[in-house]
Amino acid sequence: MSAPPENRFPSDLYGGRLTIDVDAVSRNWRFLNDRLGGNSECAAAIKADAYGTGQKAVGKALFAAGCRTFFVAVPAEAVALRQVLPDAVIYALNGLLPGTSGPYLEHDIRPVLGSLAELEEWTGLCKESGRSFDAAVHVDTGIHRLGLSPAEFARSLGDPSMMGPFVPSLLMSHLACGSTPAHEMNRRQLDLFRDVTAPHAHLPRSLANSAGVLMGRDYHFDVVRPGISLYGGQAIEDEHNPMTPVAKVEARIMIVRDVPEGDTIGYGALHTAKRPLRNAVVAAGYADGMLRRAGSTDERPGGFAMIAGHKAPILGRISMDMITLDVTDIPEHLVERGAYVEMMGPNVAAADLAAYADTIDYEYLTSLGRRFERVYGPLT
């Protein structure tokens, strides 16, 4: 596929490019859907602009693959998605902000009601109209963010005077420790969710995020809502990641220079050359989502890039617009001025970069490419 309309300039005017393979997103969704055995619906979380990969393009590809239910975070994301997916079911996870019920109804968006105040506002709306408007109800099973307490949930859903004509289209909760399946919190949340929703088991239920899908059918219930796995990310720590990469970041080499032994590299003079080095400076930095924390010092290594199968360690601090790479041991013809370097992609996993930056691949993916040329197509 060709570059989308947001690329206003010729390719040569960009310092780098972000390639996104929406077909790979679809393959990842099918992989997860196949694990369900036909007993649950596989939805998709495409909040934060589909984890940085482009909500509209990804939404269309997933719908074509068979996905029919989508989760975003805020109403604006939901309305934008509705414009390209008129027949999809769309939930907004962050719930019912004051004064937003009109747009929800106008655009057929389903809020995930996460507090008594939100539930009371929505049921009041249903009572006034004499009908049930679709919405999910979130019960907190231990993460202590959004969601009714188990006591509030049981009391409210068991009170006809409270609920009126409203019948939730989905009952849901969210795992706190899914990335570590052995954590006792997972089983505790599963048992609590099963118990508190048991009186309403005739209603669709949802607990599993990406990690929950991979943890097995106990967690699947009626709807699963994977996110990071769709985008090739690492849902479960310290295990093989079965997902296909969907994004590749490449930055162009601006200059190649020699650094004498004993000289320092970058802001703060934190990395000292232990030998004569040959450095390549590439046109990407923390303004492009290459997190500053992945830089190196004399005490700790930083992240790395890949050049034609050769690892190029990051040297010194990552600055706003530039990263310095050690290319001393890479053939000179591969590091010419203007050449592209893979900063993240099939050979540089976002999870690996995240480990150097003391974060998670979610942060990398959702921060990428503000100034890059954006191209949709295979990661070749």
Side-chain angles (χ1 to χ4, degrees):
M1 297 176 63
S2 60
E6 61 262 29
N7 295 324
R8 297 178 296 151
F9 307 109
S11 297
D12 288 346
L13 296 185
Y14 291 92
R17 64 185 171 215
L18 171 59
T19 304
I20 297 159
D21 187 349
V22 294
D23 291 336
V25 180
S26 297
R27 290 196 297 273
N28 286 335
W29 180 85
R30 292 190 187 98
F31 173 86
L32 296 171
N33 186 55
D34 289 345
R35 294 180 71 98
L36 305 180
N39 298 317
S40 304
E41 178 189 359
C42 190
I46 61 171
K47 58 186 179 176
D49 198 28
Y51 288 53
T53 62
Q55 182 191 76
K56 291 184 178 181
V58 167
K60 289 179 180 179
L62 287 172
F63 195 87
C67 184
R68 293 294 178 265
T69 301
F70 297 84
F71 290 83
V72 297
V74 298
E77 292 178 325
V79 172
L81 186 61
R82 175 61 73 209
Q83 293 171 359
V84 296
L85 297 181
D87 299 318
V89 173
I90 302 174
Y91 285 95
L93 291 162
N94 285 15
L96 186 65
L97 294 170
T100 58
S101 59
Y104 273 109
L105 297 179
E106 179 184 354
H107 298 282
D108 190 22
I109 307 301
R110 303 182 182 187
V112 176
L113 306 172
S115 70
L116 274 179
E118 292 179 9
L119 180 61
E120 290 170 354
E121 183 176 341
W122 197 256
T123 56
L125 192 67
C126 293
K127 290 173 185 177
E128 290 176 8
S129 66
R131 55 175 291 195
S132 179
F133 296 116
D134 288 329
V137 178
H138 188 159
V139 56
D140 175 32
T141 54
I143 197 170
H144 289 291
R145 299 188 313 179
L146 301 178
L148 281 71
S149 72
E152 291 172 334
F153 180 88
R155 184 170 61 251
S156 299
L157 268 69
D159 182 358
S161 66
M162 167 69 176
M163 300 296 286
F166 173 55
V167 178
S169 56
L170 185 67
L171 306 177
M172 62 172 283
S173 193
H174 191 64
L175 295 170
C177 302
S179 61
T180 50
H183 199 293
E184 64 178 11
M185 187 72 173
N186 293 312
R187 178 57 60 170
R188 191 186 316 159
Q189 287 189 268
L190 173 63
D191 291 343
L192 179 55
F193 183 67
R194 185 182 286 130
D195 290 346
V196 75
T197 60
H200 315 284
H202 59 289
L203 298 175
R205 294 180 289 177
S206 177
L207 177 63
N209 54 6
S210 291
V213 176
L214 299 173
M215 284 161 59
R217 294 188 181 181
D218 282 352
Y219 292 86
H220 292 171
F221 292 92
D222 301 291
V223 179
V224 300
R225 44 183 208 278
I228 190 65
S229 287
L230 297 176
Y231 311 102
Q234 183 93 22
I236 295 180
E237 299 173 0
D238 303 322
E239 289 190 10
H240 167 69
N241 182 9
M243 313 313 296
T244 301
V246 306
K248 180 168 69 172
V249 173
E250 298 168 285
R252 303 188 76 185
I253 295 173
M254 296 185 289
I255 187 173
V256 179
R257 64 186 309 136
D258 294 323
V259 179
E261 181 179 359
D263 277 14
T264 59
I265 299 144
Y267 282 124
L270 298 178
H271 191 112
T272 306
K274 303 298 191 297
R275 59 170 178 161
L277 298 178
R278 190 159 49 94
N279 289 2
V281 181
V282 298
Y286 59 77
D288 305 294
M290 298 285 101
L291 304 181
R292 187 173 183 265
R293 298 186 298 280
S296 72
T297 70
D298 289 340
E299 285 72 41
R300 61 179 290 273
F304 62 94
M306 291 295 290
I307 303 174
H310 300 272
K311 183 178 284 190
I314 294 173
L315 296 178
R317 276 185 173 158
I318 292 172
S319 55
M320 184 182 294
D321 313 301
M322 288 173 264
I323 296 173
T324 300
L325 302 174
D326 183 355
V327 297
T328 309
D329 301 319
I330 300 176
E332 290 188 19
H333 72 277
L334 297 176
V335 290
E336 295 177 347
R337 175 170 162 258
Y340 282 95
V341 173
E342 182 180 336
M343 306 301 297
M344 190 196 82
N347 302 298
V348 189
D352 291 338
L353 291 178
Y356 288 104
D358 192 27
T359 185
I360 55 178
D361 44 6
Y362 297 71
E363 185 176 10
Y364 263 99
L365 287 167
T366 57
S367 301
L368 288 175
R370 295 183 182 92
R371 296 183 296 186
F372 292 148
E373 177 190 16
R374 183 169 287 222
V375 177
Y376 286 89
L379 307 187
T380 55

